[in-house]
Amino acid sequence: MGFFSVLGDMFRIFKHVFRQVFVRPFTSLYPFEDRYYPERTRGRHIHIREKCTACSQCVRACPVVAIRIDKEDKMYEKDAALYFDYSRCIFCGLCVEACRFDSLFHTPIVDLSEGERDDLLYGPDKIETLERDPLEWRGRRFR
Ligand code: SF4
Ligand code: SF4
């Protein structure tokens, strides 16, 4: 291996190192910054209650019994309240496929971590809106 060959290799290495100093990092400051997820990501659901007919097809389709329906809780003529247990949900999408009334959708929101397990139960107050409370744990705020 000649002197100029070694010199060429070193030049290529330094060129690569120098270039990396100026490229934008691929990492993001998650969870302090939101990450991008594709539109079709199967994240947490949203329930459009105006369109719901309380047919229970979503409940029947769920293979892990993660959805409970309360037909007594009505806001419109035919709807019902849904409760999602995200400690059970495997985000398979079968409930959304089963809904024939465009009442249930996935959203690209996947960061559902909570400090307490009970907070993973999404009742009507949480499943009908995308607004979220800030997550605080051990004195730090994560979203
Ligand atoms: S995504 Fe799958 S596991 Fe989750 S609630 Fe719907 S059917 Fe059940
Ligand atoms: S969300 Fe859809 S499938 Fe579930 S009860 Fe309502 S209309 Fe039926």
Side-chain angles (χ1 to χ4, degrees), residues 45 61-64 66-67 84 89-95 106:
H45 304 77
C62 182
V64 293
I67 314 175
F84 282 76
C89 178
I90 53 172
F91 301 95
C92 63
L94 292 177
C95 55
H106 282 288

Side-chain angles (χ1 to χ4, degrees), residues 119-133:
D119 292 338
L120 289 170
L121 182 65
Y122 278 42
D125 55 328
K126 285 167 90 173
I127 207 68
E128 291 163 20
T129 175
L130 293 181
E131 285 172 20
R132 295 186 290 173
D133 292 334

